[in-house]
Amino acid sequence: MGAYHFDLGGERHVFADLRALLAAASPKRSGDELAGLSATSDAQRIAARYCLADLPLKTFLEDLTVPYEADEVTRLIVDTHDAAAFAAVSHLTVGGFRDWLLSAEADGPALSRLAPGLTPEMVAAVSKLMRNQDLIAVARKVRVVTAFRTTLGLPGRLATRLQPNHPTDDRRGIAVSTLDGLLYGVGDAVIGINPATDNVPNAIALMEMLDALRLQYEMPVQTCVLTHVTNAIEIMNRGAPVDLVFQSIAGSQGANRSFGVDLAILREAHEAGRSLKRGTVGDNVMYFETGQGSALSADAHHGVDQQTMEARAYAVARAFRPLLVNTVVGFIGPEYLYDGKEIVRAGLEDHFCGKLLGLPMGCDVCYTNHAEADQDDMDGLMTLLTVAGCTFLIAVPGSDDIMLNYQSLSFHDVLFLRSTLGVRAAPEFEAWLERMEMLRPDGGIAEFEPRDPRLSHLLQRIPAVA
């Protein structure tokens, strides 16, 4: 729709189009610099934010960042937009929207009603005008409740994914890591394995092992082998025990094609997963992972900044009523998020945008070993996200994923968050921990000495793995 401009300090800053304006308004990050999209100076960044603040929210329904005719994700966003829900804020500018979001009027129920009326570009835009504090304050007000065998997203709760990956998919090694996590009260969001070898027979073997463990001890959990969605469809056709259907997704048709998927395949998988009716307290069956930089790495970003492209992935996710969505915030590497400061900011942005769009948003608080980040940065981000009402976090043994070769959170980190911030596990899982004599009267997790007879009792409850 033409160029945008703003005069700042006697200097006129011109932004060629809406994509350029959004990119220039973004906080500094290496991925946008790599793509040649970032603001060229702090002055230009501030000018872009002033200009963006004055932009009517309605603009995003008329000036599309990715052309409608060229991209099925754009068509999904436009065709499913709820004009009636949007009416409550349709008169606002982006800056006015920020002020409203921070007001008492914008409470949890109001934000839930508004979610279908917001587009990814709207929430990405307003996030660029916010401090970290603002992102936390608004996201904390939003509660998105989903369920399968556990109920997730309730107030005062923080769920966790137990990630027992193994570099050779050794089932005994996976079982030991699973036991380790369960002893720390981790796993109420999902027990999810990233397979080292992604094929149908291997995925079935891992699924059957996890399902046997679940059934033998009547654990109210959902399990998932994070195999490709086309494998999951074939596995369901073969009658194997699929709880959740997983897929990595991105914010453009081209980026999703690089993952080997499109909306039609996701619809087929969603319908197949729901048809199994394996849930006990709900029927949310999809699990999606995202991450800033995926569209750029696939050369499918259409000149749009990486944070806005990430928000567009959430439009894909919400079309399928997922149980879980998480951003793997620092996993792609320093080419996209260079250091701890950029990773922390991106994690808070992603959580905020996902929550506003109505998603049960979680995060893999993580970094690669060649990034300028360390575990102190992760301590900060996990604490901030918990304060912000994050639905779930991911934890691995010792915070070191020995299969994917990156650093995440540890089971001990979950204990810290529960004891320090008072957040609890999902109610069904918490009741199971109590039945297993693993829950202290104060809600904490029982500690076991190596020779404690209770530990031997629990070890005997884990089936042998061939």
Side-chain angles (χ1 to χ4, degrees):
M1 291 184 65
Y4 298 85
H5 58 84
F6 191 85
D7 294 328
L8 182 69
E11 181 179 359
R12 169 157 286 202
H13 296 268
V14 179
F15 308 97
D17 54 25
L18 183 58
R19 295 175 301 175
L21 177 62
L22 287 167
S26 291
K28 181 180 178 182
R29 65 200 58 198
S30 55
D32 291 339
E33 293 180 335
L34 178 67
L37 301 174
S38 184
T40 56
S41 66
D42 288 338
Q44 187 186 56
R45 183 171 289 110
I46 294 302
R49 290 177 183 173
Y50 271 114
C51 187
L52 186 61
D54 290 338
L55 200 67
L57 281 179
K58 290 179 179 179
T59 304
F60 296 100
L61 301 176
E62 304 161 356
D63 193 356
L64 304 178
T65 57
V66 181
Y68 181 91
E69 63 278 3
D71 187 85
E72 69 172 358
V73 176
T74 299
R75 293 193 289 275
L76 174 68
I77 293 167
V78 173
D79 294 348
T80 61
H81 180 252
D82 188 331
F86 178 61
V89 296
S90 62
H91 61 290
L92 296 175
T93 62
V94 177
F97 185 40
R98 172 192 176 273
D99 293 342
W100 181 81
L101 287 172
L102 290 166
S103 72
E105 181 183 352
D107 58 13
L111 293 174
S112 295
R113 290 191 298 271
L114 177 62
L118 297 177
T119 70
E121 286 83 356
M122 290 177 191
V123 299
V126 75
S127 76
K128 298 174 193 298
L129 305 183
M130 291 182 152
R131 294 169 52 190
N132 288 358
Q133 178 187 121
D134 301 335
L135 298 174
I136 294 167
V138 175
R140 183 174 176 81
K141 295 191 283 188
V142 182
R143 284 291 162 185
V144 181
V145 178
T146 58
F148 190 76
R149 293 194 188 97
T150 57
T151 305
L152 308 178
L154 296 171
R157 306 278 177 169
L158 173 69
T160 50
R161 170 183 162 189
L162 200 172
Q163 184 169 297
N165 294 344
H166 192 280
T168 64
D169 289 334
D170 179 79
R171 281 175 283 168
R172 189 177 297 277
I174 290 170
V176 170
S177 292
T178 301
L179 168 63
D180 189 21
L182 291 170
L183 288 170
Y184 285 98
V186 172
D188 51 330
V190 63
I191 302 175
I193 303 169
N194 296 89
T197 303
D198 189 10
N199 59 48
V200 169
N202 186 55
I204 290 175
L206 295 176
M207 287 175 182
E208 289 178 342
M209 182 199 75
L210 289 180
D211 202 51
L213 179 65
R214 177 187 69 83
L215 290 171
Q216 186 169 356
Y217 304 109
E218 299 179 334
M219 289 190 292
V221 297
Q222 39 277 338
T223 64
C224 184
V225 175
L226 280 66
T227 188
H228 192 269
V229 68
T230 53
N231 287 345
I233 293 170
E234 173 60 23
I235 290 166
M236 287 186 279
N237 288 337
R238 295 189 187 187
V242 176
D243 285 347
L244 303 187
V245 178
F246 168 82
Q247 184 57 48
S248 295
I249 56 172
S252 72
Q253 180 176 334
N256 283 323
R257 188 183 301 120
S258 75
F259 288 135
V261 299
D262 57 24
L263 296 179
I265 290 173
L266 294 177
R267 289 189 191 100
E268 180 183 353
H270 182 222
E271 291 169 3
R274 290 194 66 201
S275 72
L276 299 179
K277 301 185 187 304
R278 290 175 59 84
T280 55
V281 295
D283 64 352
N284 301 108
V285 299
M286 300 300 286
Y287 176 17
F288 294 116
E289 282 192 343
T290 67
Q292 287 194 28
S294 57
L296 175 57
S297 67
D299 194 24
H301 63 293
H302 297 271
V304 180
D305 69 273
Q306 67 181 41
Q307 189 252 333
T308 301
M309 288 304 297
E310 170 73 3
R312 284 172 55 90
Y314 304 154
V316 176
R318 72 174 173 180
F320 300 99
R321 299 178 54 246
L323 178 76
L324 303 167
V325 181
N326 71 262
T327 169
V328 192
V329 67
F331 181 75
I332 301 182
E335 301 84 358
Y336 305 98
L337 296 170
Y338 178 72
D339 57 16
K341 182 179 178 66
E342 292 187 9
I343 291 171
V344 169
R345 173 69 190 190
L348 294 176
E349 288 172 345
D350 295 349
H351 178 253
F352 166 88
C353 290
K355 280 287 198 68
L356 276 191
L357 291 170
L359 290 177
M361 203 68 197
C363 184
D364 189 353
V365 176
C366 63
Y367 63 100
T368 57
N369 288 310
H370 61 311
E372 291 295 321
D374 58 29
Q375 215 64 34
D376 284 339
D377 298 312
M378 302 306 102
D379 286 350
L381 179 54
M382 73 178 187
T383 305
L384 293 173
L385 284 169
T386 304
V387 172
C390 190
T391 299
F392 75 105
L393 299 173
I394 292 177
V396 306
S399 77
D400 184 11
D401 190 306
I402 59 173
M403 192 279 279
L404 291 174
N405 293 311
Y406 79 116
Q407 307 304 307
S408 185
L409 300 183
S410 72
F411 304 145
H412 301 77
D413 293 329
V414 175
L415 293 188
F416 163 79
L417 294 170
R418 295 206 191 289
S419 63
T420 303
L421 299 177
V423 288
R424 297 157 57 192
E428 300 86 354
F429 188 73
E430 187 177 66
W432 179 79
L433 290 173
E434 188 171 10
R435 292 197 304 272
M436 295 291 286
E437 300 178 355
M438 295 167 61
L439 201 65
R440 297 199 311 258
D442 64 0
I445 299 298
E447 297 179 5
F448 298 98
E449 296 296 330
R451 297 184 183 277
D452 192 313
R454 293 177 298 165
L455 181 57
S456 299
H457 179 60
L458 287 170
L459 284 168
Q460 292 168 5
R461 294 188 175 201
I462 300 300
V465 180

